[in-house]
Amino acid sequence: MKVLFVFVLFFAVVWAQQHQIGFPRNGATVKLGSTIVVEVDRPNSIQGSTEAGMVIAIQSCPSFPCSPPSSILGTILYNGPYDPEFHNSGGFFKPPHQNFSVVIPAPGEFGGPVQVGRAQLAVARFHMIGAGLSPLLAFANITLNIIA
């Protein structure tokens, strides 16, 4: 029973550190070649977290299911630091987050084979949690509808 409790507690701590894509929303329509803002939210947690880096990528999958981001990220749109902060305005509470402006590459741009149709926007975040700084690689993804 104690082992089960420890496992559940560990899972809850890790789950509490999971980031989310706050914007755009799942199923949003975006245009090839356009610049979009990607908001990456991190839950406010009492568990310490040291950010190491993040990747935002897009994978085109117009006629077949997208691969999980843990297997294939696709075309990298951003690769660098992640420094989420609180930004509360007008009484509207948001979790710690950071916004990134990225370009949805047209076919052939930036080496990216993004096509019209369904695509997966994924965020891979590498950070350390806890007093012993245990490494954790976490993924979040949404589906986008790409138009010309």
Side-chain angles (χ1 to χ4, degrees):
M1 186 68 163
K2 288 181 182 179
V3 173
L4 179 62
F5 176 75
V6 170
F7 176 74
V8 169
L9 182 62
F10 177 76
F11 181 76
V13 167
V14 170
W15 184 256
Q17 291 295 323
Q18 293 295 320
H19 62 282
Q20 297 177 338
I21 299 172
F23 190 83
R25 297 286 182 217
N26 190 36
T29 298
V30 297
K31 189 173 182 176
L32 283 172
S34 67
T35 299
I36 65 168
V37 173
V38 177
E39 178 185 305
V40 181
D41 298 340
R42 184 192 74 199
N44 189 21
S45 171
I46 60 171
Q47 176 74 27
S49 178
T50 302
E51 300 298 334
M54 191 178 71
V55 171
I56 300 173
I58 191 164
Q59 177 189 159
S60 189
C61 42
S63 58
F64 51 88
C66 293
S67 298
S70 59
S71 299
I72 297 174
L73 284 174
T75 302
I76 294 175
L77 306 178
Y78 172 82
N79 178 13
Y82 177 53
D83 186 22
E85 296 179 359
F86 283 102
H87 296 279
N88 296 328
S89 61
F92 182 69
F93 173 78
K94 295 188 84 151
H97 66 280
Q98 186 173 355
N99 292 332
F100 301 88
S101 292
V102 298
V103 175
I104 303 299
E109 291 181 351
F110 311 112
V114 179
Q115 302 170 9
V116 170
R118 185 179 56 238
Q120 176 176 262
L121 182 74
V123 174
R125 173 179 161 231
F126 179 63
H127 63 288
M128 281 78 65
I129 61 171
L133 295 179
S134 300
L136 182 62
L137 178 60
F139 302 93
N141 63 288
I142 61 169
T143 300
L144 296 176
N145 180 35
I146 308 296
I147 60 172

